[in-house]
Amino acid sequence: MALAKVNAFNWEKFLSKIDNADLKRRVNMLRAKAFEVSASSSKYLKEPEAIDFAAYKNKLRFTSSAVEALEGAYKNKKLPAYHATLPAFEVKKRAMMASVAKNVVDLAKLDIQELGVQLESFESSRISKTTSVNEMHQRFPHFAKEVEEEIKNHEWAK
């Protein structure tokens, strides 16, 4: 599962956001190591072939007792099992971080909706060549009042 995430990671998009040449070099080294692990994973994920101890006993007749001793040691081996568990604190911390991130995303979506409404409002009240004087008076009533006052008082040079 983790290898699938490494293979699916968009390295080009990540690298396009980095401006520092030294940092890009380090990320490329990490990328190469990730691809190397990914490529060699098929070799290590499958079970190794069983050792044919009988064939070695026939080949090494003078040391067949040593082959028997090795066979016994091999059959009685107990390899350590990999098990990864997170402490309860870490699980709780990750759950809280995920909930905070979800809240931030939800709030950002709400902000985007509100900004969309504002944008529509701005677009509808945009001044263009087709805007009439009456629309300007409705949009800026204080300026309209001031202009009417100046006309009434014959203040042409203002």
Side-chain angles (χ1 to χ4, degrees), residues 129-140 144 147-148:
K129 292 179 180 180
T130 60
T131 306
S132 68
V133 173
N134 200 17
E135 289 172 336
M136 294 292 284
H137 283 276
Q138 289 174 354
R139 182 156 179 215
F140 304 107
V147 167
E148 290 298 325

Side-chain angles (χ1 to χ4, degrees), residues 77-104:
K77 74 177 178 339
K78 174 114 171 78
L79 293 177
Y82 176 76
H83 59 283
T85 57
L86 292 174
F89 170 75
E90 189 68 26
V91 171
K92 186 176 178 182
K93 181 175 134 185
R94 289 182 183 187
M96 289 174 66
M97 288 174 62
S99 70
V100 167
K102 184 181 179 305
N103 288 341
V104 168

Side-chain angles (χ1 to χ4, degrees), residues 18-87:
I18 300 173
D19 294 330
N20 188 334
D22 185 48
L23 189 58
K24 268 191 179 181
R25 184 181 58 79
R26 290 179 186 202
V27 169
N28 275 324
M29 287 172 37
L30 178 66
R31 178 185 188 184
K33 188 57 86 173
F35 286 147
E36 180 184 327
V37 167
S38 209
S40 65
S41 68
S42 61
K43 179 169 73 171
Y44 297 111
L45 286 178
K46 61 184 176 185
E47 284 288 322
E49 295 178 14
I51 299 173
D52 187 10
F53 287 103
Y56 286 114
K57 280 182 193 176
N58 291 335
K59 288 180 185 176
L60 306 170
R61 291 184 197 163
F62 62 94
T63 58
S64 62
S65 61
V67 172
E68 288 173 3
L70 286 173
E71 182 178 10
Y74 181 77
K75 294 204 183 215
N76 293 331
K77 74 177 178 339
K78 174 114 171 78
L79 293 177
Y82 176 76
H83 59 283
T85 57
L86 292 174

Side-chain angles (χ1 to χ4, degrees), residues 103-144:
N103 288 341
V104 168
V105 168
D106 292 341
L107 291 173
K109 286 179 182 177
L110 285 174
D111 284 348
I112 288 173
Q113 287 176 349
E114 290 174 8
L115 289 172
V117 170
Q118 281 183 351
L119 180 64
E120 287 176 15
S121 166
F122 291 148
E123 290 291 329
S124 66
S125 62
R126 176 181 269 177
I127 298 171
S128 65
K129 292 179 180 180
T130 60
T131 306
S132 68
V133 173
N134 200 17
E135 289 172 336
M136 294 292 284
H137 283 276
Q138 289 174 354
R139 182 156 179 215
F140 304 107
H142 55 286
F143 288 137

